[in-house]
Amino acid sequence: MSEAAVSHYLAEYEQFRDTLTAPWFAQPRAAALDFLRTNGFPSRRTEQWKYTDVTPITRKKFTVGRSAPAAVDDAFVDSLRFSRLDCHELVFINGSFSAALSRNEPLPEGVAVQPLQSVKPDDALLLDSCFVDGEIKNAFSALNTAFVNDGVLIHVPDNTEVAIPIHIIYISGQADATLMSNPRNLVALGRNAGASVIESFAGIPDTEYLTNNHTAILGRAGSRLDYYSIQQESQRAYHIGNTRIRQQADSRVDCHTLSLGGKLARSDIDVELDEPGAEVKLNGLYLTNNRQHVDNHTLVEHKQPHTTSHEHFRGVMNGHSRAVFNGKVIVHEQAQKTEAHQSNANLLLSGNAEVDTKPELEIYADDVKCSHGATVGQLDENMLFYLRSRGVDEHTARSLLTYAFAEEIIRDIRFPEIRERLEHSIAGELPDTDLIEEFVK
């Protein structure tokens, strides 16, 4: 199956290459195609994909859209915007930028926010950081590198603060085609710069497609980034997300990931804390139902002393769904005075739901504060008794406790509008939506 999929994408590339407009990507594209030919797609014999079977993806023959982006209902696009929050918005339809749907707000002088298709050759050196050596880890990274033709470049210069969020909206799906998109985003923050970036992924209901996204984040000394990835794909869609974060001295990245949609979704987050004082916070929430499958893999490398990481992922599984969490923290020998904490909590609402969780610590330094743990269980009977003793019926009590379990992840989001949207999205994905929303108003 993998060989047939590789042959399909190699043939697809021969037709796709005529549309390419970025000649400085030629060398990375060639390396990606060689990787695909040599290694093929991962199987369950591959340790990093042990619990996730990608056969449902490889048996499909996804193609790249070669015509103008499909028309999308304005109301659907508006439902993805933050109506009460001023945002600089870039909207993409099936991987292609739509200027008509995007909205530009004033940005500080020197800040660049632009689709890759409009990037000038002078910025090629900055874009090259998207394709650093060794980043192609599997066939999906190779596909993204080979087929990328659009995405977003965000560059915030030294000592500059962007007060309003930058919102990137990816909408996918077409009734008469099985399309794939391979967006590539680069967020580069200068020294002491600050910004907030939101990525929203959504699909036209009942359409089948593949979103294969890659985001690279570079945080220079003293910078701060609030980063949000909100995945609400069609229930028939496939989503592969890869986020690479590299941080210099005294920088901070707060990363919030929410996974609600998709038939099969995989998220990889790799963080390198390269200089003293770098700090990262990873918050993740995944909600699954029916036969959904969601897989979260994280890797945090502490490479220098006095670096800090906090990681907290929670999942709620219902129906016959399945979730995977694999979080790995590596503290290198020279990374003394490191502080690293990791937790993964899972709530099973159905006897048919399943989760595989594997938190890992590799510590090669001797002066560190590190912890990790995982829990899998059902609703707390003592908490149920407490609510029922105060006049709440059992049905409502179960709904409220489930909501409270999930909602804890998004409490630290600093924009109330984003927090409220996510709270509404969480409530909408859980049983008894109306009951939950009535109680939390």
Side-chain angles (χ1 to χ4, degrees):
M1 182 66 69
S2 178
E3 292 80 2
V6 170
S7 297
H8 165 72
Y9 289 113
L10 292 177
E12 181 71 9
Y13 180 80
E14 291 304 312
Q15 300 181 53
F16 170 73
R17 67 192 306 170
D18 294 336
T19 68
L20 299 178
T21 58
W24 53 83
F25 291 170
Q27 185 174 350
R29 290 187 199 278
L33 292 170
D34 286 342
F35 182 98
L36 194 60
R37 291 189 191 96
T38 303
N39 298 280
F41 284 83
S43 70
R44 297 188 68 173
R45 292 189 297 272
T46 307
E47 181 62 29
Q48 292 296 308
W49 297 82
K50 181 177 180 180
Y51 299 106
T52 298
D53 183 6
V54 300
T55 302
I57 297 177
T58 58
R59 70 160 65 105
K60 304 290 181 181
K61 293 186 177 180
F62 296 102
T63 59
V64 178
R66 297 182 179 86
S67 57
V72 178
D73 182 65
D74 288 344
F76 183 75
V77 180
D78 289 341
S79 71
L80 301 173
R81 306 185 197 273
F82 294 97
S83 57
R84 295 186 292 109
L85 180 63
D86 290 334
C87 293
H88 189 91
E89 293 179 345
L90 297 92
V91 179
F92 293 77
I93 308 298
N94 289 323
S96 295
F97 177 64
S98 171
L101 293 174
S102 300
R103 297 180 177 179
N104 297 329
E105 293 288 339
L107 296 172
E109 183 178 357
V111 174
V113 179
Q114 54 189 317
L116 293 189
Q117 287 280 14
S118 65
V119 171
K120 299 177 181 178
D122 293 344
D123 294 317
L125 290 178
L126 182 58
L127 285 172
D128 280 345
S129 60
C130 280
F131 300 97
V132 294
D133 291 340
E135 75 166 3
I136 298 177
K137 302 188 301 181
N138 54 58
F140 296 105
S141 333
L143 271 184
N144 181 279
T145 301
F147 284 90
V148 61
N149 205 32
D150 218 340
V152 179
L153 168 65
I154 299 173
H155 181 222
V156 182
D158 295 349
N159 304 307
T160 302
E161 180 81 20
V162 182
I164 65 173
I166 299 165
H167 190 190
I168 310 168
I169 301 175
Y170 287 104
I171 300 173
S172 300
Q174 189 168 308
D176 58 351
T178 307
L179 300 179
M180 72 170 175
S181 59
N182 295 274
R184 173 81 60 137
N185 305 314
L186 171 62
V187 181
L189 301 184
R191 295 175 61 87
N192 302 311
S196 299
V197 175
I198 310 165
E199 294 176 345
S200 293
F201 300 91
I204 306 301
D206 202 36
T207 57
E208 186 176 39
Y209 56 86
L210 168 65
T211 300
N212 183 28
N213 180 69
H214 184 107
T215 296
I217 296 171
L218 307 176
R220 295 186 173 86
S223 63
R224 179 184 174 93
L225 175 69
D226 286 335
Y227 169 71
Y228 308 87
S229 178
I230 306 170
Q231 187 270 106
Q232 295 176 286
E233 305 279 21
S234 158
Q235 293 298 308
R236 296 179 59 206
Y238 304 90
H239 181 98
I240 305 293
N242 189 359
T243 303
R244 299 189 72 242
I245 303 171
R246 292 186 295 168
Q247 297 180 234
Q248 295 180 0
D250 301 316
S251 62
R252 173 160 178 162
V253 173
D254 286 2
C255 174
H256 307 268
T257 62
L258 183 72
S259 181
L260 300 179
K263 182 177 181 180
L264 187 156
R266 163 87 176 214
S267 172
D268 282 78
I269 303 175
D270 292 355
V271 182
E272 296 179 20
L273 303 176
D274 290 332
E275 295 181 2
E279 181 177 358
V280 68
K281 185 174 186 178
L282 304 180
N283 279 339
L285 177 66
Y286 44 97
L287 309 179
T288 62
N289 202 354
N290 301 319
R291 294 189 176 275
Q292 284 180 282
H293 182 106
V294 61
D295 185 346
N296 286 281
H297 269 63
T298 67
L299 171 63
V300 179
E301 292 193 69
H302 292 260
K303 294 187 171 183
Q304 295 296 329
H306 298 282
T307 52
T308 304
S309 66
H310 294 275
E311 183 174 358
H312 188 190
F313 274 68
R314 288 196 166 204
V316 179
M317 280 65 68
N318 204 355
H320 288 76
S321 64
R322 183 176 185 180
V324 180
F325 174 80
N326 190 162
K328 187 172 187 176
V329 176
I330 302 176
V331 181
H332 291 263
E333 185 176 3
Q334 65 274 25
Q336 303 294 340
K337 304 294 183 180
T338 281
E339 185 171 351
H341 302 286
Q342 179 192 98
S343 68
N344 174 231
N346 297 278
L347 180 62
L348 301 180
L349 301 182
S350 164
N352 296 312
E354 181 180 350
V355 62
D356 298 283
T357 179
K358 185 182 179 184
E360 299 180 78
L361 275 175
E362 288 186 15
I363 303 174
Y364 300 99
D366 55 14
D367 186 4
V368 301
K369 294 181 180 179
C370 296
S371 65
H372 73 306
T375 61
V376 179
Q378 298 176 329
L379 291 173
D380 189 326
E381 292 296 330
N382 290 328
M383 293 301 298
L384 281 172
F385 177 80
Y386 176 84
L387 289 175
R388 294 202 65 193
S389 69
R390 278 149 181 79
V392 180
D393 66 85
E394 182 176 358
H395 194 60
T396 303
R398 288 184 178 277
S399 299
L400 290 174
L401 289 176
T402 302
Y403 174 82
F405 175 88
E407 194 267 345
E408 183 173 317
I409 285 294
I410 62 176
R411 291 177 183 173
D412 293 337
I413 294 175
R414 69 185 182 94
F415 291 102
E417 295 84 355
I418 299 177
R419 189 167 58 248
E420 290 170 11
R421 167 71 64 80
L422 294 182
E423 288 172 346
H424 179 75
S425 297
I426 292 171
E429 293 296 325
L430 294 175
D432 308 312
T433 300
D434 293 340
L435 284 175
I436 295 173
E437 294 187 338
E438 181 66 28
F439 270 83
V440 301
K441 282 181 180 178

